Amino acid sequence: MLGLSLVAACEVVPTTSPPPAPKPAPQVQSDASRDLQIYYGRVQADLLARGLLRTDGGGPDTPYTPDMMARNFEQIAFYDEYASGGGLEPANGTAGKLRRWSGPVRVSVEYGASVSSDMRAQDTALVQGYVGRLASVTNHAISYNSGRPNFHVLVMGEDDKDQLARRLRQIIPGASTATMSLFLNVQRSIDCLVVAFSSEGNDHDYKKAVALVRSEHPDLMRKSCYHEEIAQGLGLANDSPTARPSIFNDDDEFALLTTHDESLLAILYDPRLQLGMSLEQARPVVHILAREQAGRIY
């Protein structure tokens, strides 16, 4: 999956309650939306035919050591694929500081009017279960909360563009033009995306996140988007070509969060690591935590 994870620091991110969810609207699907649905259906079929989008989480063919886990964590947690606030401008390749949520994470899923009732029911149950898993793995306050969310997952399609624009203005009224453009002019090659917003006083402390999942995706690709974007929105913002078995890798081998990925999230939220730590400060602790996680798995 080609997902996108960015950080928009110091934007105005007031807490907002979602408006009443619009009911599915009987409407004729546009040609643009239908074309995307056909395209992504073919993409998923091709990936599956090549043995990708695995849902087994890895096995004997994907061994890894604590040192490999620690290296993967460093690449995924301390580096960015794209420059902060710079749209799709590549990052400068230097290590940043440790970022994550210090406060509770309250996830909700909101749907475009074009999304069917069946998809809404299926996907809401899926995300609720996944959020519970993330809370257990990280030992952090992560919950599904549709009444007062600060992690908004927007499931919308090509025919929901006007609704998406209105909702973005409500959730992130201080968003930059570049951030708005990311959501409203998504390239077809980008399957889904998440932008995490930090507080004005601390660039490393996430306070709000917004993810976009295309409703035109077939079921497995949509599920993969939920797994990847929500996990990346917790602070594992980068991808690494050496991470395996992992969804934090653009090679599409794995569709769903793996045991290896659970370990990365557990390391990220371990209290022995502190917000704003540099890579050099964190590295000795990360190696200790990786060994502990390897012992838990094996």
Side-chain angles (χ1 to χ4, degrees), residues 33-105:
S33 178
R34 186 179 299 107
D35 288 346
L36 279 177
Q37 190 173 27
I38 294 170
Y39 169 77
Y40 289 121
R42 289 172 176 167
V43 169
Q44 177 174 290
D46 176 67
L47 292 171
L48 290 171
R50 293 190 282 129
L52 303 176
L53 292 182
R54 291 171 58 174
T55 59
D56 58 2
D61 64 317
T62 58
Y64 56 92
T65 66
D67 285 345
M68 292 166 64
M69 186 191 300
R71 179 198 65 202
N72 292 339
F73 180 83
E74 291 178 5
Q75 289 295 317
I76 293 167
F78 285 94
Y79 291 86
D80 291 311
E81 188 172 0
Y82 299 98
S84 176
L88 298 180
E89 181 182 345
N92 59 16
T94 59
K97 303 293 181 67
L98 189 79
R99 297 160 302 189
R100 66 187 183 201
W101 296 70
S102 64
V105 183

Side-chain angles (χ1 to χ4, degrees), residues 208-269:
K208 181 167 289 193
V210 183
L212 176 64
V213 176
R214 296 180 187 268
S215 63
E216 287 91 0
H217 284 315
D219 286 352
L220 181 55
M221 286 183 67
R222 229 172 41 253
K223 185 175 183 180
S224 181
C225 278
Y226 293 131
H227 274 233
E228 180 175 358
E229 302 309 327
I230 296 176
Q232 292 204 303
L234 293 179
L236 296 178
N238 196 21
D239 290 307
S240 170
T242 64
R244 186 174 186 256
S246 180
I247 60 172
F248 304 114
N249 187 323
D250 282 334
D251 63 2
D252 293 325
E253 183 178 10
F254 290 91
L256 309 180
L257 197 78
T258 66
T259 303
H260 168 274
D261 296 334
E262 287 185 341
S263 293
L264 299 185
L265 286 166
I267 292 171
L268 177 64
Y269 279 88

Side-chain angles (χ1 to χ4, degrees), residues 70-71 73-75 77-79 94-98 273 276-287:
R71 179 198 65 202
F73 180 83
E74 291 178 5
Q75 289 295 317
F78 285 94
Y79 291 86
T94 59
K97 303 293 181 67
L98 189 79
L273 292 177
M277 266 187 166
S278 68
L279 176 55
E280 291 72 22
Q281 291 172 319
R283 179 170 286 139
V285 182
V286 169
H287 278 267

Side-chain angles (χ1 to χ4, degrees), residues 2-4 6 36 39-40 88 154 156-158 161 164 168 178-195 211-214 216-217 225:
L2 183 51
L4 195 62
L6 302 103
L36 279 177
Y39 169 77
Y40 289 121
L88 298 180
L154 308 180
M156 299 192 182
E158 195 69 16
K161 282 286 186 69
L164 175 60
L168 288 171
T179 297
M180 291 293 290
S181 181
L182 277 173
F183 286 98
L184 298 175
N185 302 293
V186 187
Q187 300 174 15
R188 189 173 70 165
S189 59
I190 296 174
D191 299 319
C192 36
L193 63 94
V194 64
V195 179
L212 176 64
V213 176
R214 296 180 187 268
E216 287 91 0
H217 284 315
C225 278

